[in-house]
Amino acid sequence: MRFNAYQLKLFAMALMLLDHIHAFIPGSPDWFHWLGRIAAPIFFFFLVEGFVYTRSREKYMLRMLIFTIIMAAGSDALVLLLPGGSIPNNIFLSMFAALMLMTTLDWVRQSRQYVTGSTLSILLSIVMVFFVEFSWLAVSMTLVFYVFRGRTAALVIGYVISSLLLTLGPYALMPDAATKWTYDELFILHPQWMMIAAVVPILLYNGSRGSSSKRTKYMFYLFYPIHIWLLYVVGYIDFDRGSL
C-alpha cells in the first residue's frame, strides 16, 4: 500500500499533534513524543517536493515568510497575555531558511559560481544551526532530501546516517559516553534519534499530489499555529488549576 502527498501530510499532522500535546500538556504519555519525531522529516521531505514543483518559488518563499511572522507574533502575544510559559515552536522559520538554502544551491548549479555559492550556502547553514528550530537537523534534512531526490537508496542511506550522526553521534565524543546509552537518555531525555523511522512513510510515497484544492493547500499553514496556541492555553489552564 502506498500513499499520496495529501495522505502523508495528514499522517504527519496527526503525529505532530501528539508531539505537541506531550510538549504542552503535563502528564502526556512519552510515546506521544516518540511518534512526534517522525513528523518534521515528512514535512521537510514535502517541502523539497514543493520547491521542485511549485509554479513560483518566490511566492512559495513569501508565503512561508508571512506565516513565519504570523507564528512569531501570535506566539509572543499569547505568552504576554498568559505569562509563565513559552512557545519556541516555529517550523515556518526553519522551512523558510530551508527554501533559501535550496534556492542558493539551485543558483550554484545553474550559474556555476561555486566559490560564491558554496560560501553563501555555508553561511546560511550556520545561521540555520543557531537560529531555527531543529538546528543542524534542519540543514541535514534539507540537504539530504534535495541532493538525493529521486535516488531512493542514496536518500535513505544519507538520511539515516546523517540523522544518527547528529542525534547519537555526540554521545561518542563525551568523556562519559558509556553512561549515555541508557533508557532514560535514549527514550526520555534525547529520543530525537527516532526520527529515522520517517523513512518508512517517505518510502510509501507514491509520487502523487492527492488533493489540490485551496482549502487543503493552506490546511497545514493554519493548523500548525492554531493547534499550538490552543494547546498552550489548555496547558496554561491546567497548570493554573493545579497551582490552586
Side-chain angles (χ1 to χ4, degrees), residues 165-187:
L165 284 177
L166 292 174
T167 56
L168 298 181
Y171 285 170
L173 302 177
M174 296 179 181
D176 57 343
T179 67
K180 296 298 183 181
W181 306 98
T182 64
Y183 177 88
D184 285 343
E185 284 284 346
L186 297 176
F187 290 88

Side-chain angles (χ1 to χ4, degrees), residues 113-144:
Q113 299 292 326
Y114 298 114
V115 175
T116 302
S118 298
T119 301
L120 289 174
S121 298
I122 292 172
L123 290 176
L124 183 54
S125 297
I126 292 173
V127 170
M128 290 176 68
V129 169
F130 287 102
F131 294 103
V132 308
E133 191 177 0
F134 305 115
S135 186
W136 272 113
L137 293 174
V139 177
S140 67
M141 288 187 291
T142 302
L143 292 177
V144 168

Side-chain angles (χ1 to χ4, degrees), residues 22 28 43 50 85 88 109 111 122 126 131 141 169 193 222 230 242 244:
H22 179 271
S28 301
F43 287 125
R109 181 178 61 82
S111 67
I122 292 172
I126 292 173
F131 294 103
M141 288 187 291
W193 61 270
L222 297 176
L230 287 176
L244 294 179

Side-chain angles (χ1 to χ4, degrees), residues 35-188:
L35 291 176
R37 302 306 84 209
I38 302 174
I42 296 176
F43 287 125
F44 271 83
F45 174 79
F46 284 112
L47 182 76
V48 174
E49 291 294 294
F51 178 79
V52 172
Y53 287 115
T54 185
R55 296 178 182 177
S56 173
R57 292 178 178 177
E58 291 78 11
K59 290 182 179 179
Y60 194 17
M61 294 177 67
L62 178 60
R63 182 165 63 248
M64 203 66 71
L65 177 60
I66 290 173
F67 277 93
T68 295
I69 296 171
I70 291 174
M71 183 69 196
S75 297
D76 288 346
L78 187 57
V79 171
L80 285 175
L81 181 64
L82 303 175
S86 64
I87 305 177
N89 315 77
N90 196 339
I91 197 174
F92 295 127
L93 178 59
S94 300
M95 289 182 164
F96 174 71
L99 290 174
M100 291 182 62
L101 180 57
M102 287 188 287
T103 299
T104 302
L105 294 174
D106 196 56
W107 175 77
V108 173
R109 181 178 61 82
Q110 294 182 21
S111 67
R112 298 189 178 183
Q113 299 292 326
Y114 298 114
V115 175
T116 302
S118 298
T119 301
L120 289 174
S121 298
I122 292 172
L123 290 176
L124 183 54
S125 297
I126 292 173
V127 170
M128 290 176 68
V129 169
F130 287 102
F131 294 103
V132 308
E133 191 177 0
F134 305 115
S135 186
W136 272 113
L137 293 174
V139 177
S140 67
M141 288 187 291
T142 302
L143 292 177
V144 168
F145 293 146
Y146 179 74
V147 173
F148 297 125
R149 182 181 178 275
R151 290 177 284 171
T152 303
L155 186 148
V156 170
I157 294 171
Y159 172 74
V160 171
I161 291 177
S162 62
S163 298
L164 290 178
L165 284 177
L166 292 174
T167 56
L168 298 181
Y171 285 170
L173 302 177
M174 296 179 181
D176 57 343
T179 67
K180 296 298 183 181
W181 306 98
T182 64
Y183 177 88
D184 285 343
E185 284 284 346
L186 297 176
F187 290 88
I188 305 300

Side-chain angles (χ1 to χ4, degrees), residues 11-26:
F11 173 68
M13 287 170 61
L15 297 183
M16 179 178 64
L17 175 60
L18 291 178
D19 187 40
H20 291 149
I21 289 175
H22 179 271
F24 290 102
I25 309 299

